mmCIF file of all heavy atoms in Angstrom:
data_model
loop_
_atom_site.group_PDB
_atom_site.id
_atom_site.type_symbol
_atom_site.label_atom_id
_atom_site.label_comp_id
_atom_site.label_asym_id
_atom_site.label_seq_id
_atom_site.Cartn_x
_atom_site.Cartn_y
_atom_site.Cartn_z
ATOM 1 N N VAL A 316 0.840 -1.193 0.001
ATOM 2 C CA VAL A 316 0.000 0.000 0.001
ATOM 3 C C VAL A 316 0.878 1.246 -0.001
ATOM 4 O O VAL A 316 1.987 1.251 0.533
ATOM 5 C CB VAL A 316 -0.956 0.027 1.220
ATOM 6 C CG1 VAL A 316 -1.921 -1.129 1.166
ATOM 7 C CG2 VAL A 316 -0.183 0.006 2.542
ATOM 8 N N HIS A 317 0.361 2.301 -0.624
ATOM 9 C CA HIS A 317 1.051 3.567 -0.755
ATOM 10 C C HIS A 317 0.102 4.682 -0.335
ATOM 11 O O HIS A 317 -1.095 4.435 -0.102
ATOM 12 C CB HIS A 317 1.509 3.768 -2.205
ATOM 13 C CG HIS A 317 2.334 2.643 -2.742
ATOM 14 N ND1 HIS A 317 3.699 2.599 -2.616
ATOM 15 C CD2 HIS A 317 1.979 1.502 -3.411
ATOM 16 C CE1 HIS A 317 4.166 1.493 -3.182
ATOM 17 N NE2 HIS A 317 3.143 0.807 -3.665
ATOM 18 N N PRO A 318 0.581 5.908 -0.228
ATOM 19 C CA PRO A 318 -0.319 7.020 0.092
ATOM 20 C C PRO A 318 -1.505 7.076 -0.866
ATOM 21 O O PRO A 318 -1.335 6.973 -2.086
ATOM 22 C CB PRO A 318 0.588 8.244 -0.048
ATOM 23 C CG PRO A 318 1.943 7.734 0.316
ATOM 24 C CD PRO A 318 1.994 6.352 -0.253
ATOM 25 N N GLY A 319 -2.694 7.214 -0.311
ATOM 26 C CA GLY A 319 -3.908 7.225 -1.111
ATOM 27 C C GLY A 319 -4.641 5.901 -1.129
ATOM 28 O O GLY A 319 -5.791 5.829 -1.544
ATOM 29 N N ALA A 320 -3.982 4.827 -0.664
ATOM 30 C CA ALA A 320 -4.616 3.504 -0.659
ATOM 31 C C ALA A 320 -5.507 3.342 0.567
ATOM 32 O O ALA A 320 -5.245 3.919 1.624
ATOM 33 C CB ALA A 320 -3.543 2.413 -0.686
ATOM 34 N N SER A 321 -6.539 2.541 0.410
ATOM 35 C CA SER A 321 -7.437 2.240 1.528
ATOM 36 C C SER A 321 -6.923 1.008 2.265
ATOM 37 O O SER A 321 -6.418 0.068 1.650
ATOM 38 C CB SER A 321 -8.858 1.986 1.024
ATOM 39 O OG SER A 321 -9.381 3.131 0.405
ATOM 40 N N VAL A 322 -7.068 1.018 3.578
ATOM 41 C CA VAL A 322 -6.677 -0.129 4.398
ATOM 42 C C VAL A 322 -7.858 -0.518 5.283
ATOM 43 O O VAL A 322 -8.768 0.276 5.531
ATOM 44 C CB VAL A 322 -5.440 0.184 5.264
ATOM 45 C CG1 VAL A 322 -4.210 0.370 4.400
ATOM 46 C CG2 VAL A 322 -5.677 1.412 6.124
ATOM 47 N N ILE A 323 -7.833 -1.747 5.760
ATOM 48 C CA ILE A 323 -8.940 -2.304 6.537
ATOM 49 C C ILE A 323 -8.478 -2.593 7.951
ATOM 50 O O ILE A 323 -7.403 -3.170 8.161
ATOM 51 C CB ILE A 323 -9.466 -3.590 5.882
ATOM 52 C CG1 ILE A 323 -9.932 -3.311 4.454
ATOM 53 C CG2 ILE A 323 -10.616 -4.192 6.695
ATOM 54 C CD1 ILE A 323 -10.329 -4.555 3.692
ATOM 55 N N GLY A 324 -9.272 -2.213 8.918
ATOM 56 C CA GLY A 324 -8.959 -2.509 10.300
ATOM 57 C C GLY A 324 -8.926 -4.003 10.553
ATOM 58 O O GLY A 324 -9.703 -4.758 9.980
ATOM 59 N N GLY A 325 -8.012 -4.425 11.414
ATOM 60 C CA GLY A 325 -7.856 -5.846 11.704
ATOM 61 C C GLY A 325 -6.759 -6.501 10.905
ATOM 62 O O GLY A 325 -6.364 -7.628 11.206
ATOM 63 N N THR A 326 -6.227 -5.822 9.879
ATOM 64 C CA THR A 326 -5.105 -6.348 9.112
ATOM 65 C C THR A 326 -3.796 -5.893 9.765
ATOM 66 O O THR A 326 -3.782 -5.012 10.623
ATOM 67 C CB THR A 326 -5.160 -5.886 7.648
ATOM 68 O OG1 THR A 326 -5.206 -4.445 7.604
ATOM 69 C CG2 THR A 326 -6.427 -6.429 6.984
ATOM 70 N N VAL A 327 -2.679 -6.480 9.345
ATOM 71 C CA VAL A 327 -1.404 -6.264 10.033
ATOM 72 C C VAL A 327 -0.356 -5.715 9.070
ATOM 73 O O VAL A 327 -0.227 -6.205 7.938
ATOM 74 C CB VAL A 327 -0.894 -7.586 10.654
ATOM 75 C CG1 VAL A 327 0.438 -7.369 11.367
ATOM 76 C CG2 VAL A 327 -1.929 -8.148 11.625
ATOM 77 N N ALA A 328 0.378 -4.714 9.522
ATOM 78 C CA ALA A 328 1.484 -4.159 8.737
ATOM 79 C C ALA A 328 2.705 -5.056 8.894
ATOM 80 O O ALA A 328 3.150 -5.306 10.013
ATOM 81 C CB ALA A 328 1.799 -2.742 9.197
ATOM 82 N N CYS A 329 3.231 -5.553 7.792
ATOM 83 C CA CYS A 329 4.403 -6.438 7.836
ATOM 84 C C CYS A 329 5.701 -5.645 7.944
ATOM 85 O O CYS A 329 6.633 -6.063 8.627
ATOM 86 C CB CYS A 329 4.447 -7.309 6.586
ATOM 87 S SG CYS A 329 3.032 -8.403 6.386
ATOM 88 N N ASP A 330 5.774 -4.535 7.244
ATOM 89 C CA ASP A 330 6.974 -3.717 7.274
ATOM 90 C C ASP A 330 6.569 -2.270 6.981
ATOM 91 O O ASP A 330 5.440 -1.988 6.625
ATOM 92 C CB ASP A 330 8.020 -4.209 6.261
ATOM 93 C CG ASP A 330 7.448 -4.272 4.838
ATOM 94 O OD1 ASP A 330 6.421 -3.632 4.584
ATOM 95 O OD2 ASP A 330 8.053 -4.951 3.989
ATOM 96 N N GLY A 331 7.491 -1.374 7.153
ATOM 97 C CA GLY A 331 7.215 0.023 6.863
ATOM 98 C C GLY A 331 6.405 0.703 7.964
ATOM 99 O O GLY A 331 5.832 0.057 8.848
ATOM 100 N N ARG A 332 6.371 2.013 7.915
ATOM 101 C CA ARG A 332 5.614 2.826 8.875
ATOM 102 C C ARG A 332 4.556 3.609 8.117
ATOM 103 O O ARG A 332 4.856 4.284 7.134
ATOM 104 C CB ARG A 332 6.554 3.787 9.620
ATOM 105 C CG ARG A 332 5.879 4.733 10.612
ATOM 106 C CD ARG A 332 6.931 5.635 11.249
ATOM 107 N NE ARG A 332 6.366 6.552 12.235
ATOM 108 C CZ ARG A 332 5.882 7.761 11.959
ATOM 109 N NH1 ARG A 332 5.884 8.183 10.699
ATOM 110 N NH2 ARG A 332 5.397 8.530 12.916
ATOM 111 N N LEU A 333 3.331 3.536 8.579
ATOM 112 C CA LEU A 333 2.216 4.191 7.910
ATOM 113 C C LEU A 333 1.581 5.230 8.817
ATOM 114 O O LEU A 333 1.509 5.051 10.037
ATOM 115 C CB LEU A 333 1.134 3.178 7.517
ATOM 116 C CG LEU A 333 1.507 2.077 6.524
ATOM 117 C CD1 LEU A 333 0.339 1.114 6.352
ATOM 118 C CD2 LEU A 333 1.911 2.671 5.186
ATOM 119 N N ILE A 334 1.118 6.306 8.211
ATOM 120 C CA ILE A 334 0.230 7.250 8.880
ATOM 121 C C ILE A 334 -1.118 7.146 8.176
ATOM 122 O O ILE A 334 -1.216 7.337 6.955
ATOM 123 C CB ILE A 334 0.773 8.690 8.817
ATOM 124 C CG1 ILE A 334 2.095 8.784 9.570
ATOM 125 C CG2 ILE A 334 -0.239 9.672 9.410
ATOM 126 C CD1 ILE A 334 2.731 10.167 9.514
ATOM 127 N N ILE A 335 -2.144 6.819 8.929
ATOM 128 C CA ILE A 335 -3.466 6.527 8.369
ATOM 129 C C ILE A 335 -4.486 7.487 8.962
ATOM 130 O O ILE A 335 -4.473 7.772 10.171
ATOM 131 C CB ILE A 335 -3.874 5.073 8.664
ATOM 132 C CG1 ILE A 335 -2.854 4.108 8.048
ATOM 133 C CG2 ILE A 335 -5.277 4.771 8.155
ATOM 134 C CD1 ILE A 335 -3.060 2.657 8.446
ATOM 135 N N GLU A 336 -5.370 7.968 8.118
ATOM 136 C CA GLU A 336 -6.487 8.787 8.585
ATOM 137 C C GLU A 336 -7.717 7.889 8.709
ATOM 138 O O GLU A 336 -8.138 7.260 7.739
ATOM 139 C CB GLU A 336 -6.772 9.933 7.614
ATOM 140 C CG GLU A 336 -7.905 10.845 8.076
ATOM 141 C CD GLU A 336 -8.095 12.040 7.168
ATOM 142 O OE1 GLU A 336 -7.120 12.811 6.988
ATOM 143 O OE2 GLU A 336 -9.207 12.204 6.636
ATOM 144 N N ALA A 337 -8.257 7.809 9.907
ATOM 145 C CA ALA A 337 -9.381 6.909 10.174
ATOM 146 C C ALA A 337 -10.630 7.354 9.408
ATOM 147 O O ALA A 337 -11.020 8.519 9.462
ATOM 148 C CB ALA A 337 -9.671 6.860 11.668
ATOM 149 N N ALA A 338 -11.248 6.417 8.697
ATOM 150 C CA ALA A 338 -12.479 6.690 7.963
ATOM 151 C C ALA A 338 -13.674 6.000 8.593
ATOM 152 O O ALA A 338 -14.800 6.481 8.513
ATOM 153 C CB ALA A 338 -12.332 6.249 6.506
ATOM 154 N N ALA A 339 -13.453 4.846 9.206
ATOM 155 C CA ALA A 339 -14.521 4.110 9.889
ATOM 156 C C ALA A 339 -13.921 3.471 11.130
ATOM 157 O O ALA A 339 -12.889 2.809 11.057
ATOM 158 C CB ALA A 339 -15.116 3.038 8.971
ATOM 159 N N VAL A 340 -14.536 3.706 12.264
ATOM 160 C CA VAL A 340 -14.002 3.207 13.530
ATOM 161 C C VAL A 340 -15.061 2.401 14.260
ATOM 162 O O VAL A 340 -16.260 2.481 13.965
ATOM 163 C CB VAL A 340 -13.524 4.372 14.432
ATOM 164 C CG1 VAL A 340 -12.418 5.150 13.758
ATOM 165 C CG2 VAL A 340 -14.696 5.304 14.771
ATOM 166 N N GLY A 341 -14.588 1.604 15.223
ATOM 167 C CA GLY A 341 -15.515 0.853 16.074
ATOM 168 C C GLY A 341 -16.439 -0.057 15.299
ATOM 169 O O GLY A 341 -16.015 -0.869 14.474
ATOM 170 N N ALA A 342 -17.743 0.115 15.524
ATOM 171 C CA ALA A 342 -18.748 -0.760 14.918
ATOM 172 C C ALA A 342 -18.923 -0.528 13.429
ATOM 173 O O ALA A 342 -19.607 -1.307 12.763
ATOM 174 C CB ALA A 342 -20.090 -0.567 15.625
ATOM 175 N N ASP A 343 -18.324 0.533 12.884
ATOM 176 C CA ASP A 343 -18.488 0.836 11.461
ATOM 177 C C ASP A 343 -17.431 0.188 10.578
ATOM 178 O O ASP A 343 -17.499 0.300 9.356
ATOM 179 C CB ASP A 343 -18.449 2.358 11.244
ATOM 180 C CG ASP A 343 -19.610 3.071 11.923
ATOM 181 O OD1 ASP A 343 -20.691 2.453 12.013
ATOM 182 O OD2 ASP A 343 -19.435 4.230 12.358
ATOM 183 N N THR A 344 -16.436 -0.472 11.154
ATOM 184 C CA THR A 344 -15.377 -1.086 10.356
ATOM 185 C C THR A 344 -15.873 -2.374 9.695
ATOM 186 O O THR A 344 -16.855 -2.975 10.125
ATOM 187 C CB THR A 344 -14.148 -1.403 11.223
ATOM 188 O OG1 THR A 344 -14.515 -2.378 12.215
ATOM 189 C CG2 THR A 344 -13.634 -0.149 11.916
ATOM 190 N N GLN A 345 -15.158 -2.787 8.654
ATOM 191 C CA GLN A 345 -15.521 -4.024 7.965
ATOM 192 C C GLN A 345 -15.356 -5.234 8.879
ATOM 193 O O GLN A 345 -16.148 -6.169 8.826
ATOM 194 C CB GLN A 345 -14.666 -4.192 6.711
ATOM 195 C CG GLN A 345 -14.931 -3.168 5.623
ATOM 196 C CD GLN A 345 -14.209 -3.487 4.331
ATOM 197 O OE1 GLN A 345 -14.072 -4.649 3.953
ATOM 198 N NE2 GLN A 345 -13.741 -2.464 3.648
ATOM 199 N N PHE A 346 -14.332 -5.200 9.724
ATOM 200 C CA PHE A 346 -14.103 -6.314 10.639
ATOM 201 C C PHE A 346 -15.275 -6.448 11.607
ATOM 202 O O PHE A 346 -15.765 -7.557 11.863
ATOM 203 C CB PHE A 346 -12.803 -6.093 11.411
ATOM 204 C CG PHE A 346 -12.370 -7.268 12.236
ATOM 205 C CD1 PHE A 346 -11.627 -8.289 11.672
ATOM 206 C CD2 PHE A 346 -12.720 -7.362 13.572
ATOM 207 C CE1 PHE A 346 -11.224 -9.384 12.425
ATOM 208 C CE2 PHE A 346 -12.326 -8.447 14.341
ATOM 209 C CZ PHE A 346 -11.586 -9.459 13.761
ATOM 210 N N ALA A 347 -15.754 -5.315 12.148
ATOM 211 C CA ALA A 347 -16.903 -5.343 13.048
ATOM 212 C C ALA A 347 -18.148 -5.832 12.319
ATOM 213 O O ALA A 347 -19.001 -6.511 12.901
ATOM 214 C CB ALA A 347 -17.136 -3.955 13.636
ATOM 215 N N GLY A 348 -18.253 -5.490 11.037
ATOM 216 C CA GLY A 348 -19.400 -5.966 10.260
ATOM 217 C C GLY A 348 -19.412 -7.477 10.126
ATOM 218 O O GLY A 348 -20.475 -8.106 10.172
ATOM 219 N N MET A 349 -18.220 -8.083 9.970
ATOM 220 C CA MET A 349 -18.143 -9.537 9.886
ATOM 221 C C MET A 349 -18.549 -10.180 11.211
ATOM 222 O O MET A 349 -19.223 -11.207 11.241
ATOM 223 C CB MET A 349 -16.731 -9.964 9.493
ATOM 224 C CG MET A 349 -16.309 -9.509 8.115
ATOM 225 S SD MET A 349 -14.589 -9.894 7.720
ATOM 226 C CE MET A 349 -14.643 -11.669 7.633
ATOM 227 N N VAL A 350 -18.146 -9.542 12.325
ATOM 228 C CA VAL A 350 -18.537 -10.054 13.635
ATOM 229 C C VAL A 350 -20.057 -9.992 13.788
ATOM 230 O O VAL A 350 -20.684 -10.915 14.312
ATOM 231 C CB VAL A 350 -17.849 -9.253 14.751
ATOM 232 C CG1 VAL A 350 -18.358 -9.688 16.120
ATOM 233 C CG2 VAL A 350 -16.337 -9.445 14.684
ATOM 234 N N ARG A 351 -20.667 -8.906 13.309
ATOM 235 C CA ARG A 351 -22.125 -8.776 13.406
ATOM 236 C C ARG A 351 -22.845 -9.857 12.611
ATOM 237 O O ARG A 351 -23.907 -10.334 13.010
ATOM 238 C CB ARG A 351 -22.574 -7.394 12.929
ATOM 239 C CG ARG A 351 -22.374 -6.292 13.951
ATOM 240 C CD ARG A 351 -23.196 -5.065 13.581
ATOM 241 N NE ARG A 351 -22.823 -4.538 12.275
ATOM 242 C CZ ARG A 351 -21.833 -3.691 12.070
ATOM 243 N NH1 ARG A 351 -21.103 -3.267 13.088
ATOM 244 N NH2 ARG A 351 -21.565 -3.236 10.859
ATOM 245 N N LEU A 352 -22.278 -10.221 11.471
ATOM 246 C CA LEU A 352 -22.894 -11.277 10.663
ATOM 247 C C LEU A 352 -23.003 -12.573 11.464
ATOM 248 O O LEU A 352 -24.031 -13.256 11.430
ATOM 249 C CB LEU A 352 -22.084 -11.526 9.390
ATOM 250 C CG LEU A 352 -22.188 -10.488 8.280
ATOM 251 C CD1 LEU A 352 -21.287 -10.890 7.114
ATOM 252 C CD2 LEU A 352 -23.622 -10.336 7.797
ATOM 253 N N VAL A 353 -21.925 -12.892 12.187
ATOM 254 C CA VAL A 353 -21.935 -14.108 12.996
ATOM 255 C C VAL A 353 -22.969 -13.989 14.118
ATOM 256 O O VAL A 353 -23.736 -14.922 14.387
ATOM 257 C CB VAL A 353 -20.539 -14.380 13.579
ATOM 258 C CG1 VAL A 353 -20.559 -15.614 14.472
ATOM 259 C CG2 VAL A 353 -19.527 -14.576 12.459
ATOM 260 N N GLU A 354 -22.999 -12.838 14.780
ATOM 261 C CA GLU A 354 -23.952 -12.648 15.879
ATOM 262 C C GLU A 354 -25.390 -12.701 15.389
ATOM 263 O O GLU A 354 -26.269 -13.267 16.048
ATOM 264 C CB GLU A 354 -23.667 -11.309 16.566
ATOM 265 C CG GLU A 354 -22.325 -11.268 17.288
ATOM 266 C CD GLU A 354 -22.002 -9.899 17.840
ATOM 267 O OE1 GLU A 354 -22.678 -8.922 17.409
ATOM 268 O OE2 GLU A 354 -21.099 -9.795 18.679
ATOM 269 N N GLU A 355 -25.662 -12.112 14.221
ATOM 270 C CA GLU A 355 -27.020 -12.149 13.670
ATOM 271 C C GLU A 355 -27.420 -13.565 13.289
ATOM 272 O O GLU A 355 -28.569 -13.969 13.469
ATOM 273 C CB GLU A 355 -27.111 -11.226 12.452
ATOM 274 C CG GLU A 355 -27.020 -9.739 12.808
ATOM 275 C CD GLU A 355 -26.892 -8.871 11.573
ATOM 276 O OE1 GLU A 355 -26.892 -9.436 10.446
ATOM 277 O OE2 GLU A 355 -26.782 -7.631 11.723
ATOM 278 N N ALA A 356 -26.456 -14.316 12.757
ATOM 279 C CA ALA A 356 -26.750 -15.704 12.399
ATOM 280 C C ALA A 356 -27.103 -16.517 13.636
ATOM 281 O O ALA A 356 -28.004 -17.350 13.621
ATOM 282 C CB ALA A 356 -25.554 -16.330 11.678
ATOM 283 N N GLN A 357 -26.410 -16.252 14.745
ATOM 284 C CA GLN A 357 -26.677 -16.989 15.978
ATOM 285 C C GLN A 357 -28.022 -16.612 16.581
ATOM 286 O O GLN A 357 -28.650 -17.403 17.295
ATOM 287 C CB GLN A 357 -25.559 -16.726 16.993
ATOM 288 C CG GLN A 357 -24.223 -17.329 16.598
ATOM 289 C CD GLN A 357 -23.130 -17.031 17.609
ATOM 290 O OE1 GLN A 357 -23.220 -16.083 18.371
ATOM 291 N NE2 GLN A 357 -22.099 -17.850 17.618
ATOM 292 N N ALA A 358 -28.496 -15.376 16.290
ATOM 293 C CA ALA A 358 -29.762 -14.922 16.856
ATOM 294 C C ALA A 358 -30.967 -15.393 16.048
ATOM 295 O O ALA A 358 -32.099 -15.370 16.534
ATOM 296 C CB ALA A 358 -29.774 -13.399 16.953
ATOM 297 N N GLN A 359 -30.737 -15.819 14.814
ATOM 298 C CA GLN A 359 -31.839 -16.249 13.964
ATOM 299 C C GLN A 359 -32.311 -17.651 14.346
ATOM 300 O O GLN A 359 -31.598 -18.415 14.995
ATOM 301 C CB GLN A 359 -31.400 -16.250 12.496
ATOM 302 C CG GLN A 359 -31.081 -14.873 11.948
ATOM 303 C CD GLN A 359 -30.526 -14.944 10.542
ATOM 304 O OE1 GLN A 359 -30.416 -16.021 9.960
ATOM 305 N NE2 GLN A 359 -30.177 -13.799 9.988
ATOM 306 N N LYS A 360 -33.531 -17.938 13.921
ATOM 307 C CA LYS A 360 -34.078 -19.281 14.127
ATOM 308 C C LYS A 360 -34.095 -20.024 12.806
ATOM 309 O O LYS A 360 -34.637 -19.551 11.807
ATOM 310 C CB LYS A 360 -35.502 -19.206 14.689
ATOM 311 C CG LYS A 360 -35.566 -18.893 16.172
ATOM 312 C CD LYS A 360 -36.967 -19.114 16.713
ATOM 313 C CE LYS A 360 -37.004 -18.930 18.224
ATOM 314 N NZ LYS A 360 -38.356 -19.204 18.786
ATOM 315 N N ALA A 361 -33.495 -21.193 12.813
ATOM 316 C CA ALA A 361 -33.500 -22.025 11.617
ATOM 317 C C ALA A 361 -34.852 -22.712 11.472
ATOM 318 O O ALA A 361 -35.647 -22.783 12.418
ATOM 319 C CB ALA A 361 -32.390 -23.069 11.714
ATOM 320 N N ASP A 362 -35.136 -23.223 10.270
ATOM 321 C CA ASP A 362 -36.396 -23.927 10.029
ATOM 322 C C ASP A 362 -36.531 -25.118 10.970
ATOM 323 O O ASP A 362 -37.612 -25.392 11.494
ATOM 324 C CB ASP A 362 -36.467 -24.394 8.572
ATOM 325 C CG ASP A 362 -36.605 -23.221 7.613
ATOM 326 O OD1 ASP A 362 -37.003 -22.131 8.082
ATOM 327 O OD2 ASP A 362 -36.318 -23.392 6.418
#
């Protein structure tokens, strides 16, 4: 990734130093959205 690239919370920097401007935090991140999918699936009732 270079300046101008989008990054996703929950991923790991292997090398280099980055300065990132937060666009989505907390419950609005993609990682949090994946967690919600699991929680919603557990709350549903199967046939």
Side-chain angles (χ1 to χ4, degrees):
V316 297
H317 306 271
S321 297
V322 292
I323 302 174
T326 56
V327 180
C329 298
D330 56 19
R332 178 181 181 272
L333 298 175
I334 297 178
I335 300 172
E336 182 175 302
V340 299
D343 296 328
T344 64
Q345 293 188 37
F346 188 85
M349 296 175 68
V350 174
R351 281 197 300 274
L352 286 178
V353 178
E354 293 174 345
E355 291 171 1
Q357 292 179 338
Q359 294 175 2
K360 282 192 174 183
D362 291 341

